[in-house]
Amino acid sequence: LQGDVGSGKTAVAYLAALAASSSGFQTAFMTPTELLSEQHARTLVELGSGDPKALKIGLLTASMGRRDLGVVKDQLREGKIECIVGTQALIQSDVQFKNLGLAIIDEQHRFGVRQQSALQEKTIKARTPHTLVMTATPIPRSLALTAYGDLDLSVIDELPPGRIPVETRVIYPLERERA
């Protein structure tokens, strides 16, 4: 899924995870940074707010405290978390899913083939999960996979109505908390 920043890729990911959950499967949503994982988790929760059937969203990153990590991993293994958002912490050997059915990879170009495969191998019964890769920037590998028929391409080529234009700014290390 290709689309500019703010075009609605996360909303599409939420709907895909909701469809997976309604069929009894969990979703793993992997991002390259903790900041992006936190942002996506917050957005996914907002997308489901007010809906009694909203997804149970979890967050898993390497910087979480040991106790919180244990709670999230237990809930994931028990199937209490329907959609887990996280960094490469998702592909660690001690992370187990009850029934992974969808792998979503944001900024796919920031992950290697082995990292993406490691996420897909987190299933039970050797079932390959459906995979959705998202990017704002197509890369040669994605273009080649599309050209040879191994990857389908969907493009969001317009912003949602009323969306303000994206503004890019430089944030210095001392301003990170404010960001």
Side-chain angles (χ1 to χ4, degrees), residues 58-76 81 84 94-95:
L59 177 67
L60 185 66
T61 63
S63 69
M64 292 173 66
R66 182 178 232 131
R67 195 173 124 245
D68 290 338
L69 275 173
V71 168
V72 169
K73 288 176 185 178
D74 288 346
Q75 290 179 345
L76 192 58
I81 293 176
I84 186 79
D94 62 339
V95 175

Side-chain angles (χ1 to χ4, degrees), residues 29-34 37 60-62 85-95 105 110-112 114-116 118-119 122:
F29 191 151
M30 189 165 71
T31 73
T33 67
E34 291 190 15
S37 289
L60 185 66
T61 63
V85 183
T87 58
Q88 294 177 46
L90 293 175
I91 61 175
Q92 299 304 310
S93 60
D94 62 339
V95 175
I105 302 168
R110 304 265 306 264
F111 296 103
R114 287 188 183 133
Q115 291 164 320
Q116 293 181 48
L119 181 59
K122 289 283 183 181

Side-chain angles (χ1 to χ4, degrees), residues 54-150:
L55 289 172
K56 293 171 191 76
I57 308 291
L59 177 67
L60 185 66
T61 63
S63 69
M64 292 173 66
R66 182 178 232 131
R67 195 173 124 245
D68 290 338
L69 275 173
V71 168
V72 169
K73 288 176 185 178
D74 288 346
Q75 290 179 345
L76 192 58
R77 186 177 51 254
E78 295 166 6
K80 293 179 181 174
I81 293 176
E82 296 167 302
C83 179
I84 186 79
V85 183
T87 58
Q88 294 177 46
L90 293 175
I91 61 175
Q92 299 304 310
S93 60
D94 62 339
V95 175
Q96 298 173 340
F97 292 82
K98 181 176 182 180
N99 196 15
L100 180 63
L102 176 62
I104 300 174
I105 302 168
D106 192 22
E107 294 195 28
Q108 173 242 357
H109 59 281
R110 304 265 306 264
F111 296 103
V113 174
R114 287 188 183 133
Q115 291 164 320
Q116 293 181 48
S117 293
L119 181 59
Q120 293 172 339
E121 292 169 3
K122 289 283 183 181
T123 60
I124 308 286
K125 304 174 192 164
R127 181 188 310 122
T128 302
H130 291 274
T131 303
L132 172 63
V133 293
M134 303 189 320
T135 186
T137 312
I139 60 165
R141 183 176 73 212
S142 299
L143 296 174
L145 287 169
T146 302
Y148 292 110
D150 295 327

